[in-house]
Amino acid sequence: MGLAVIHTRAQEGLRAPPVAVEVDLANGLPAITVVGLAETAVKESRDRVRAALSNCGFEFPARRITINLAPADLPKEGGRYDLAIALAILAASGQIPAAACAGLEFIGELSLGGELRPVRAALPAALACRDAGHTLIVPQANAAEARRVSGLSLLAARHLLEICAHLKAETLLLEATQAPEPVPGEAEPDVDLSDVRGQYAARRALEVAAAGEHSVLMMGPPGTGKSMLARRLPGILPPLTETEALEVATIASVSDLGFRSDRWKKRPFRAPHHTASAAALVGGGSVPRPGEISLAHRGVLFLDELPEFDRRVLEVLREPLENGEIHISRAARQAVFPARFQLIAAMNPCPCGYLGDARGRCRCTEEQVARYRSRISGPLLDRIDLHVEVPAVKTEALGDAAPPGESSQAVGERVAAARARQLARQDKPNAALNQRETTRLCIVKPAVRDLVLQAMERLGLSARAYHRLLRLARTIADLDESDVITARHMSEAIHFRLLDRQPIR
Ligand SMILES: Nc1ncnc2c1ncn2[C@@H]1O[C@H](COP(=O)(O)OP(=O)(O)OP(=O)(O)O)[C@@H](O)[C@H]1O
Ligand SMILES: [Mg+2]
Ligand SMILES: [Zn+2]
């Protein structure tokens, strides 16, 4: 026996295409060659595999060894092929029965002693393996991740020797099928909306935003609770469905963050710093990895101090805000990552932060204020559905004597009910309706339409803003359990276009 094939999976974007590791043993001077577009880390794998096999007491074939990773045109990186390469060498040299590997797929990196180390992107491999009807063998440290895929036949091991014993039918690995441990539904148990005192307008804006998945911009002086409010948005959003949770976990799994069991079924909350580069935000790298906006998929992207972000960085948000995904092309490689996030942004009213302060602390000139605000481009502002002021609160209103605000649970229940109405009506949140759907589903009586037209003229709103207003009013009506959009709903929606009312350009 001089030839063997072992099946594994690569990672490409969010997919896990199949890879066959072929090993051929030929007569000639002992040497190992790795072919098949393997990058440096994969080439290093032959040294790890050689050490691991020797240290496990196997014989390393003193032959001319050719390792081919097929298909050759698929880029391959990382140590994830170690296990498959080791097994292919063992099978080709007759040290394990090749037939026992049929219907099995393997992923895992090896230590020099043969211990199995976890790999990135085990979740997409697990999904693809299940769809292929194969059994997957992973390092124990990847088991919790792969186990999230229901219907997958999954085995986990800590050491190469355990896998070899299994293949030789000496000691069988146990199927890693135990049900995932239940996790609490809340986003963060230690942050609750009841911590926020006062700020009724901002709390209302947060609730409306959560109900219809609308984006929000909060404007106010320092220390008024903007960051506090933003952090509490995930906790009032409806729970993720199983499918959504898998999407979120898959993105984390292929990213530098990695899969985290304790984040399962929790809405992401990402708050990149304003010095973040466009690549950090949208993703990139020689092997494209998801950026902050994809890590925030199905969750919240918080941009604090919005005007401090580089304008070019903000411009890249326009595409995902419109269509919920981002296309990355880097040299020869391209990737599409989902990026349906809810944007929540915060800013001060002026460079010093105290414009409009009762004690007159602001010394900014009109020109400085205008320049500060113009850093957010009109088209981006146009895509933010709600603008809300978060003014300074009197100190006594913040003390422990002040009544606590309504809890995240109470608000979350109203949000869930309003969202359920939307899903029943149109199978998606209001913010995701396109122009045609908006016209069809957000019908307003002539009197209400007149209200909108007047407001548009007064505020100089674009046609895009018109549809945005309709969707926002629809959400307000949904929170009110109303099938019709009334003048009151529409007035509140118009009220949330704060920055249109105070032209900033
Ligand atoms: N409305 C509020 N209710 C309760 N505590 C508040 C409120 N506003 C501010 N605080 C207190 O002030 C601290 C600062 O609040 P936060 O960081 O949310 O302010 P901010 O508006 O984001 O300010 P900045 O503009 O400086 O970022 C909070 O940790 C909290 O202790
Ligand atoms: Mg803040
Ligand atoms: Zn100022």
Side-chain angles (χ1 to χ4, degrees):
M1 183 59 140
L3 178 70
V5 183
I6 295 287
H7 295 280
T8 179
R9 289 196 180 261
Q11 182 225 325
E12 192 180 45
L14 295 184
R15 298 185 320 111
V19 167
V21 176
E22 302 169 348
V23 164
D24 177 65
L25 304 181
N27 292 328
L29 284 180
I32 319 179
T33 328
V34 183
V35 295
L37 208 63
E39 299 186 354
T40 321
V42 181
K43 296 228 163 94
E44 284 171 359
S45 139
R46 66 185 166 192
D47 299 323
R48 280 194 301 273
V49 168
R50 190 210 305 265
L53 290 183
S54 310
N55 289 326
C56 288
F58 291 107
E59 180 208 331
F60 195 82
R63 316 265 299 267
R64 202 154 60 80
I65 305 175
T66 307
I67 301 166
N68 181 33
L69 307 180
D73 59 357
L74 185 73
K76 301 170 193 76
E77 52 128 36
R80 62 192 293 118
Y81 305 102
D82 287 4
L83 175 59
I85 292 172
L87 293 173
I89 292 174
L90 291 176
S93 56
Q95 299 180 78
I96 55 168
C101 300
L104 297 180
E105 294 188 14
F106 303 84
I107 52 172
E109 186 175 320
L110 287 174
S111 76
L112 301 185
E115 287 95 12
L116 288 167
R117 296 207 166 126
V119 298
R120 191 200 285 263
L123 193 55
L127 277 164
C129 188
R130 179 208 47 201
D131 294 344
H134 293 160
T135 293
L136 182 64
I137 301 192
V138 298
Q140 186 61 44
N142 282 126
E145 178 176 351
R147 206 186 285 143
R148 295 294 166 186
V149 176
S150 60
L152 168 70
S153 159
L154 178 71
L155 303 174
R158 291 179 207 287
H159 201 280
L160 174 63
L161 286 172
E162 287 175 49
I163 294 178
C164 294
H166 176 84
L167 296 172
K168 289 193 259 181
E170 289 165 357
T171 331
L172 293 186
L173 291 169
L174 292 181
E175 182 138 10
T177 50
Q178 75 220 59
E181 62 279 15
V183 274
E186 307 94 302
E188 298 294 335
D190 51 340
V191 299
D192 196 280
L193 259 185
S194 58
D195 306 335
V196 181
R197 321 265 156 160
Q199 302 300 12
Y200 297 104
R203 292 176 62 106
R204 171 69 178 166
L206 208 62
E207 178 171 339
V208 172
E213 211 172 80
H214 301 283
S215 46
V216 200
L217 172 62
M218 296 179 290
M219 188 163 86
T224 53
K226 299 185 295 297
S227 299
M228 270 185 105
L229 283 156
R231 290 194 184 277
R232 283 156 181 77
L233 177 54
I236 59 170
L237 291 171
L240 287 172
T241 65
E242 193 77 18
T243 316
E244 290 169 340
L246 264 181
E247 284 173 22
V248 170
T250 302
I251 295 169
S253 167
V254 308
S255 80
D256 294 328
L257 293 182
F259 174 87
R260 274 182 45 190
S261 281
D262 60 335
R263 297 287 315 157
W264 175 251
K265 280 221 163 165
K266 288 183 182 162
R267 297 254 180 201
F269 179 86
R270 303 296 303 173
H273 192 254
H274 59 74
T275 53
S277 65
L281 225 63
V282 302
S286 58
V287 179
R289 300 250 176 258
E292 290 292 340
I293 62 169
S294 295
L295 293 170
H297 179 63
R298 304 260 177 228
V300 174
L301 181 73
F302 178 40
L303 301 183
D304 203 357
E305 309 190 47
L306 187 66
E308 302 294 336
F309 279 81
D310 188 326
R311 218 177 147 131
R312 279 163 313 187
V313 171
L314 293 184
E315 290 303 304
V316 300
L317 294 179
R318 284 164 57 179
E319 179 197 339
L321 276 173
E322 284 297 307
N323 55 24
E325 58 184 28
I326 183 81
H327 293 251
I328 303 173
S329 54
R330 271 304 180 98
R333 298 193 197 169
Q334 304 201 331
V336 182
F337 290 115
R340 183 164 295 288
F341 55 86
Q342 197 164 347
L343 176 66
I344 180 161
M347 67 185 281
N348 292 330
C350 67
C352 86
Y354 291 102
L355 183 74
D357 179 69
R359 279 180 285 167
R361 274 186 281 181
C362 175
R363 293 269 171 278
C364 304
T365 65
E366 226 170 272
E367 199 207 327
Q368 283 172 317
V369 175
R371 197 172 339 118
Y372 177 74
R373 295 199 186 177
S374 70
R375 285 194 218 155
I376 317 160
S377 74
L380 177 64
L381 202 58
D382 228 19
R383 285 170 173 78
I384 300 183
D385 296 357
L386 294 95
H387 315 152
V388 69
E389 214 163 350
V390 189
V393 182
K394 290 207 186 67
T395 340
E396 54 275 21
L398 291 183
D400 286 338
E406 215 180 350
S407 70
S408 292
Q409 193 188 336
V411 178
E413 280 169 14
R414 288 196 299 270
V415 166
R419 185 68 71 85
R421 293 175 69 90
Q422 297 163 48
L423 297 183
R425 181 174 61 231
Q426 68 220 11
D427 212 26
K428 54 174 136 176
N430 289 333
L433 295 176
N434 65 28
Q435 201 152 311
R436 213 154 18 88
E437 293 163 333
T438 304
T439 315
R440 186 163 55 83
L441 295 161
C442 307
I443 306 158
V444 287
K445 292 215 182 76
V448 179
R449 170 159 316 126
D450 289 346
L451 196 67
V452 186
L453 295 179
Q454 280 166 22
M456 285 184 63
E457 201 166 328
R458 208 170 57 241
L459 307 175
L461 296 186
S462 63
R464 186 191 279 131
Y466 170 70
H467 288 100
R468 235 157 242 282
L469 267 179
L470 286 180
R471 291 193 285 269
L472 192 55
R474 184 60 261 168
T475 300
I476 292 168
D478 285 329
L479 275 169
D480 201 20
E481 298 176 20
S482 168
D483 286 334
V484 291
I485 300 175
T486 66
R488 192 163 49 80
H489 302 140
M490 185 51 83
S491 305
E492 188 179 358
I494 294 169
H495 190 75
F496 278 128
R497 301 297 304 184
L498 174 76
L499 291 173
D500 295 323
R501 281 186 277 124
Q502 306 173 344
I504 64 158
R505 272 151 290 162

